[in-house]
Every structure is written in C-alpha cells, then in structure tokens.
C-alpha cells in the first residue's frame, strides 16, 4: 500500500485515482479516506487527480499516541502534498478535515504556492468550543461527554453517532450499509487518536487561518447539521474570509451521503470550473 513518512517518522497512508489537476480530500472524525470513495471516482472521472489520505491514528495510517492535534495534522497534510509534489491543488475538507485543510492552506500551502482553492463541508472552523471570545459555542461538557463515551464503549458510540451524523433520526433515508461503513471506519481508529482528536477539532481556533486565506474558498454546510452547528461554523467562517462563497443545503445533515452528496459533489465541480 502507498505510504509517506512524516518528519516525526509516522507512516501516513494515501490513495489516488485519475490524472490532471490534483484534488486532495481530508476526512472527518473518526473516519478515513474510505469516506471519499465516491468522490475519488467521480472527480477522477471528471479529469482530476483525486488524492485522499488517512489522518494519523486513523484508517491504515500508523496508530499514533502523540501528535493527534491540528498543527500536526496540517504538517502531515503538507508532507503528503510535498511527497507527491502536487501543485495548483484544490483542497476539500469535511468536518475535522475542514479545519485541517484551512490550517494547512494558511500556514503551508499558500506560502509554498501549492494551493489554488479550498472547499470545506460541515467544517469545524472557526471554533466549536464556547469561550469568552466565542460565547455562542458549545460548552466543554459536550466534548467531555464525547470523550467519556469513546473511552467507555467506542464501538457502541460509533453506532449511536450514525443516527445524528447522517440525519437518520430526522427521517432521512440512510441505509444500514452506510451506518455499518461508518462503524467500520470508526473502529480502525486507535483509542488515543480518537480521544485526542476531540480536543483538536473542538478547541482549535481557526479564526486567524481563515483571515489569512488569499485563495478562493467554498464554504458548504447543511442547515440541519446536528454535529457542527451551522450558526457557529459556516455562517461565521464566511465573514472571516476574503474570497468566500457560501453554499447552504436545506435539510442536509453533517454526513456527506445520499442526495446531499450528489448535490455537493456537482457544486464543487462547477465551482472549480467557474
């Protein structure tokens, strides 16, 4: 299997399909590059070089105890892009991956001249946690509860999480296969990485990263996202970027699935060409 090695010696798995302008996909928590299987084919079919990696600790990447933080995730993404010598890159990040691509673009991709555009979907920026500077955020008790559930019985937690993640609890059509695949990917994360990533996605402040972006960014999110509230995410992020386009999907959940996936993928393709 294809791997790159980071500066601190961690093995990061990646997969790619197609040729052309590179599009690099960063997945959400607790998933892997498998979450992008549909996009890898669709974008390769559309004439792009589609690349996705498993975040450290996730999927087929090395099961890490340390480095499970957003700064390191961004460095790992930079290592993938540099190892593959990608230029004119379109970055696409979902949820935690949205934070990863924003930080990477601001701190590495733009200075190196590698990034052309950024897309986020249901992404965690600018900041999920409630603080004095972010009084509308979610209280720390929410994230403490997630950590406790992951530590106690992560297998059952992944199963329970599929309901709100995909909006099945709101009547959306979600197959047992979609739910099972989420559970399968979740069970590939080692416990330390899954636990620590909660802090990474909830407590990292991306405000300055968003402000630093000079490239165009498409900020997409469903207005029925029960995992990352849109009022604290897309609606705030769009006000911080210089060249942003906001796309809100009525009734869409957090998970990229079904009709939401079809619409989002087509909109990304259209936006890249526009």
């Amino acid at each position: 299997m294809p791997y790159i090695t980071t500066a601190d010696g961690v093995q990061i798995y990646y997969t790619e399909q197609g040729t052309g302008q590179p599009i690099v996909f960063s997945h959400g928590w607790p998933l892997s590059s498998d979450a992008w299987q549909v996009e890898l084919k669709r974008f390769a079919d559309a004439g792009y070089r589609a690349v996705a990696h498993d975040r450290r600790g996730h999927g087929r990447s090395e099961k890490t105890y340390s480095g499970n933080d957003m700064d390191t995730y961004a460095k790992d993404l930079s290592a993938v892009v540099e190892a593959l010598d990608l230029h004119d890159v379109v970055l696409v990040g979902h949820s935690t991956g949205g934070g990863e691509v924003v930080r990477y673009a601001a701190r590495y991709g733009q200075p190196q001249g590698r990034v052309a555009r950024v897309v986020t979907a249901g992404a965690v920026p600018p900041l999920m946690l409630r603080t004095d500077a972010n009084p509308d955020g979610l209280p720390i008790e929410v994230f403490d509860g997630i950590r406790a559930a992951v530590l106690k019985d992560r297998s059952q937690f992944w199963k329970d999480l599929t309901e709100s993640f995909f909006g099945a609890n709101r009547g959306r059509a979600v197959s047992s296969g979609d739910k099972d695949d989420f559970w399968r990917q979740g069970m590939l994360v080692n416990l330390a990485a899954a636990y620590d990533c909660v802090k990474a996605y909830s407590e990292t402040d991306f405000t300055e990263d968003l402000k630093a972006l000079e490239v165009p960014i498409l900020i997409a999110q469903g207005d029925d996202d029960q995992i990352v509230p849109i009022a604290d995410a897309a609606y705030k992020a769009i006000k911080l970027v210089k060249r942003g386009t906001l796309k809100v999907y009525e009734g869409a959940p957090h998970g990229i699935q079904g009709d939401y996936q079809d619409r989002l993928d087509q909109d990304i393709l259209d936006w890249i060409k526009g």
Side-chain angles (χ1 to χ4, degrees):
M1 291 189 289
Y3 287 88
I4 65 97
T5 303
T6 66
D8 61 343
V10 173
Q11 296 287 297
I12 300 293
Y13 169 86
Y14 73 92
T15 182
E16 62 176 315
Q17 297 179 18
T19 58
Q21 182 182 8
I23 300 185
V24 177
F25 297 90
S26 291
H27 62 81
W29 176 88
L31 304 175
S32 70
S33 59
D34 286 351
W36 295 113
Q37 281 296 309
V38 171
E39 284 71 28
L40 288 169
K41 182 180 186 325
R42 282 180 173 170
F43 283 77
D45 289 348
Y48 295 95
R49 181 183 180 184
V51 180
H53 70 291
D54 293 354
R55 187 169 299 117
R56 65 169 56 207
H58 297 62
R60 287 139 294 200
S61 288
E62 188 171 332
K63 306 308 181 193
T64 48
Y65 176 73
S66 61
N68 303 304
D69 59 82
M70 199 58 66
D71 287 346
T72 306
Y73 296 160
K75 290 179 184 177
D76 290 349
L77 177 54
S78 181
V80 172
V81 172
E82 290 180 29
L84 299 180
D85 196 24
L86 304 179
H87 297 270
D88 197 27
V89 177
V90 178
L91 298 167
V92 181
H94 172 237
S95 194
T96 300
E100 181 178 280
V101 299
V102 165
R103 176 143 296 183
Y104 162 73
R107 300 194 178 184
Y108 302 98
Q110 283 185 161
Q112 296 169 352
R114 292 184 182 270
V115 176
R117 290 173 179 254
V118 177
V119 179
T120 63
V124 295
L127 173 63
M128 290 192 71
L129 181 68
R130 179 184 297 168
T131 65
D132 290 343
N134 186 46
D136 298 325
L138 295 171
I140 189 66
E141 289 78 12
V142 170
F143 305 108
D144 287 342
I146 293 171
R147 278 185 281 262
V150 168
L151 190 60
K152 180 180 180 181
D153 187 351
R154 68 189 188 283
S155 179
Q156 187 60 50
F157 180 71
W158 303 143
K159 290 185 177 182
D160 294 342
L161 184 58
T162 62
E163 297 298 315
S164 56
F165 188 90
F166 292 119
N169 61 335
R170 300 283 178 85
R172 281 185 59 85
V174 183
S175 72
S176 59
D178 282 333
K179 295 178 182 179
D180 289 348
D181 196 45
F182 181 100
W183 175 87
R184 177 189 66 83
Q185 292 181 61
M187 290 304 292
L188 292 175
V189 188
N190 69 303
L191 185 56
Y195 189 95
D196 290 349
C197 190
V198 178
K199 180 180 179 68
Y201 73 65
S202 64
E203 298 185 35
T204 304
D205 190 341
F206 300 94
T207 299
E208 296 307 315
D209 300 301
L210 290 166
K211 290 180 178 178
L213 290 181
E214 301 289 343
V215 298
I217 178 170
L218 173 63
I219 299 173
Q221 190 163 10
D223 67 2
D224 195 27
D225 190 328
Q226 301 171 67
I227 307 301
V228 179
I230 191 171
D232 297 328
Y235 288 155
K236 288 186 177 179
I238 193 64
K239 297 177 181 178
L240 296 170
V241 296
K242 300 179 180 71
R243 303 174 64 186
T245 299
L246 176 66
K247 181 71 176 181
V248 177
Y249 295 83
E250 183 178 358
H254 186 66
I256 302 173
Q257 177 267 349
D259 62 320
Y260 172 41
Q261 184 174 37
D262 294 341
R263 289 182 287 158
L264 176 63
D265 289 352
Q266 188 59 56
D267 287 342
I268 294 173
L269 285 168
D270 293 342
W271 182 74
I272 294 171
K273 296 173 184 176

